[in-house]
Amino acid sequence: MTLQALVTPALSESAPQTLQDNPRALVDEVWQIVNNEFVDRGFNRVDWQEKRQELLSGDYVNSKQAYKAIRQALKELGDPYTRFLAPEDFSVLTSQTSGELSGVGVRLAVDKRTSSLYVVDTVKNSPAMEAGIKSGDRIIRINDKPAALMTIEQAQEEIKGEVGTQISLQLSRKDKGVFQVNLTRAQIEIASVNYSVKQEDNLKVGYIRLDEFSSHAAEQMKEAISDLGKQKVTGYVLDLRGNPGGLLFASVDIARMFLKQGEIVSTIDRRGGDRHFSANGTALTDLPLVILVNEGSASASEILTGALKENARATVVGTTTYGKGTVQSVHSLSDGSGLAVTIARYYPPSGTDINHKGIKPDVYLDLSMEEQLQFKNEPDIMGSNADPQYKRAITVLKTHPSAKFVRPEPKPVGLRWENLRETMKEENPRWQSSPKPETR
């Protein structure tokens, strides 16, 4: 989903009592926002004024009934992205788009052999890292509750909580045995960008995986490109597979990091207002670039893909993208719930309407059912030689006209045979070379 950074503030404690406690007032609050912002001025042929009278005539005993009426009214607009979010769902959404959550900074996984929970890694400068929790640590108990009985989702819910509150984790480590740490929850910046250098024969590749376009995604991408540049990569693979989108401006900012010139995206609102976003001369790299996409690459992912593909800046590999060509504004409502409203449609540089159509890759390569199942069970194989789409991206990079090849640095295995041979010749001119020794 592409979410425009237009979040209205929650009402203060001095807000009128009717707005905070009256379900009918909440219903009208939603109606007013849709009336003022919804992209389709015809409201999908719904008489929106009449709909208001219908909604306000309802007898709502509690918020649950009001929520049901709101959802039904929004459904009639025929737009799946204009939707109401109960307080708990709105909290999850705001965490995703802000790129932050309240917790201790651990990423969890399940060991397929033992079904036990373990720590995959810890977030930099998080309470977990500062407490010395390491990748591979087994989680035995969370707040004295057995972790063996929890799913990952249940464990994550147990770990989350208000900033400043306490949590205890009982862990096990091979060289340490069972131990306990007490942590204070903090506001954690979620890593939207993960990257690494991969030596593919004589090509040094910067592999970047972007999970979502959060408010921190652009700064994290800038850091990734800068670090990979210092490591002298000769090309990039940008993995957007399964990326559902996020903030519109994050996608524009990231496009500008790869694109020296050209249009990125344009948006048209209900009044016909046309906004254009273009490169601004702040590109960080001009090295060859391949983008990986699939049917789960949506919205902001499609903005970035469309901009770089249509400006001939990148080759796109994978399958056709999701096809979501709309922009939403997100509002915080008076009772802590939320509302996302479609306020505009967006178009790539060519002006093509991608809604419900998606973006077709330059190199189409689908995964078999077996490969998709393997990805689900072993997500770490993404971006490896066991990943067919990644392998095809490497092939594309190798055949790129401006591809630069770097001979891989030799692995440090002690004194190399060639150096030893030359040394022996210098010390003993009569020494004759013999076959290289075996390495076992």
Side-chain angles (χ1 to χ4, degrees):
M1 59 189 166
T2 296
L3 300 168
Q4 190 153 349
L6 296 175
V7 185
T8 58
L11 293 179
S12 67
E13 294 181 3
S14 60
Q17 194 73 11
T18 53
L19 272 180
Q20 290 186 338
D21 301 332
N22 187 343
R24 188 177 285 106
L26 179 70
V27 169
D28 196 42
E29 189 180 1
V30 170
W31 183 92
Q32 295 285 354
I33 294 171
V34 173
N35 185 60
N36 292 332
E37 296 189 4
F38 187 56
V39 67
D40 179 6
R41 299 187 73 173
F43 299 97
N44 195 35
R45 291 182 290 185
V46 173
D47 188 328
W48 199 240
Q49 297 296 327
E50 184 178 311
K51 178 59 65 177
R52 183 186 187 213
Q53 299 307 315
E54 178 187 324
L55 288 168
L56 293 180
S57 65
D59 185 16
Y60 309 111
V61 176
N62 52 42
S63 296
K64 190 174 181 179
Q65 291 181 357
Y67 292 175
K68 183 178 180 180
I70 290 169
R71 288 192 173 103
Q72 180 56 43
L74 297 179
K75 187 177 181 181
E76 295 176 29
L77 295 173
D79 173 34
Y81 308 112
T82 294
R83 64 201 188 280
F84 174 81
L85 299 140
E88 57 273 19
D89 297 323
F90 183 59
S91 176
V92 171
L93 178 66
T94 52
S95 291
Q96 290 175 340
T97 55
S98 69
E100 297 180 356
L101 57 77
S102 174
V104 298
V106 290
R107 190 159 69 92
L108 306 178
V110 174
D111 189 321
K112 290 190 297 182
R113 299 167 301 169
T114 63
S115 296
S116 60
L117 285 171
Y118 70 96
V119 176
V120 176
D121 59 30
T122 57
V123 177
K124 185 169 63 174
N125 299 324
S126 67
M129 175 174 279
E130 291 173 0
I133 295 175
K134 297 180 179 180
S135 174
D137 286 351
R138 303 276 164 170
I139 298 182
I140 301 172
R141 289 179 175 273
I142 304 174
N143 285 334
D144 293 327
K145 298 177 183 177
L149 304 177
M150 298 180 186
T151 63
I152 287 181
E153 291 74 20
Q154 289 169 335
Q156 289 171 336
E157 276 301 310
E158 193 68 34
I159 290 172
K160 286 192 301 184
E162 291 185 15
V163 172
T165 57
Q166 301 292 310
I167 178 174
S168 65
L169 297 177
Q170 190 179 61
L171 306 155
S172 173
R173 189 182 299 162
K174 283 185 178 179
D175 59 353
K176 189 173 182 178
V178 176
F179 62 100
Q180 182 163 316
V181 293
N182 296 310
L183 306 170
T184 302
R185 294 183 178 94
Q187 200 71 12
I188 305 295
E189 181 179 324
I190 304 168
S192 298
V193 176
N194 294 284
Y195 64 96
S196 59
V197 175
K198 297 179 181 291
Q199 188 73 51
E200 303 293 350
D201 296 327
N202 54 355
L203 195 68
K204 200 171 185 181
V205 178
Y207 173 74
I208 305 175
R209 177 159 181 82
L210 176 59
D211 292 325
E212 59 188 350
F213 291 79
S214 70
S215 62
H216 293 291
E219 63 191 66
Q220 292 175 9
M221 181 64 73
K222 184 176 181 180
E223 180 181 344
I225 296 172
S226 174
D227 190 17
L228 291 169
K230 291 175 183 175
Q231 298 184 63
K232 301 190 183 306
V233 298
T234 55
Y236 290 93
V237 174
L238 176 58
D239 195 341
L240 299 179
R241 290 175 294 179
N243 183 323
L247 297 171
L248 169 65
F249 295 114
S251 67
V252 172
D253 288 343
I254 291 172
R256 286 171 173 161
M257 296 178 194
F258 290 99
L259 193 62
K260 282 186 176 180
Q261 59 184 11
E263 185 167 323
I264 295 170
V265 68
S266 61
T267 63
I268 299 179
D269 62 23
R270 62 189 281 171
R271 297 174 180 83
D274 193 357
R275 295 188 65 187
H276 291 260
F277 300 88
S278 300
N280 59 3
T282 58
L284 302 177
T285 178
D286 61 355
L287 293 175
L289 172 65
V290 177
I291 299 176
L292 295 177
V293 296
N294 62 9
E295 62 280 359
S297 306
S299 199
S301 290
E302 293 173 294
I303 290 175
L304 180 58
T305 300
L308 299 180
K309 177 178 188 267
E310 294 188 5
N311 281 286
R313 176 62 184 89
T315 302
V316 180
V317 174
T319 58
T320 303
T321 61
Y322 183 81
K324 178 181 177 293
T326 58
V327 181
Q328 282 69 50
S329 169
V330 180
H331 297 262
S332 166
L333 302 174
S334 55
D335 72 336
S337 58
L339 177 68
V341 183
T342 297
I343 61 170
R345 296 182 176 91
Y346 75 80
Y347 301 89
S350 63
T352 305
D353 183 3
I354 70 159
N355 209 37
H356 305 302
K357 300 172 187 175
I359 296 173
K360 293 181 179 179
D362 298 302
V363 180
Y364 187 91
L365 179 62
D366 203 353
L367 298 175
S368 66
M369 292 296 292
E370 292 78 10
E371 288 166 339
Q372 291 180 39
L373 182 61
Q374 187 180 13
F375 268 47
K376 185 176 181 181
N377 294 331
E378 302 175 65
D380 289 344
I381 70 172
M382 292 185 75
S384 74
N385 285 322
D387 178 348
Q389 292 170 331
Y390 170 77
K391 286 180 67 178
R392 181 63 62 86
I394 297 304
T395 300
V396 171
L397 280 181
K398 287 179 178 178
T399 58
H400 193 282
S402 61
K404 298 176 183 177
F405 299 99
V406 175
R407 185 179 299 278
E409 295 179 6
K411 294 181 180 179
V413 290
L415 190 62
R416 288 179 59 81
W417 174 249
E418 290 81 2
N419 295 339
L420 176 61
R421 183 175 59 188
E422 295 303 316
T423 301
M424 292 292 289
K425 282 182 177 180
E426 290 174 7
E427 294 179 355
N428 184 359
R430 298 180 61 187
W431 184 84
Q432 301 294 321
S433 66
S434 59
K436 293 182 180 181
E438 293 184 20
T439 301
R440 296 184 181 272

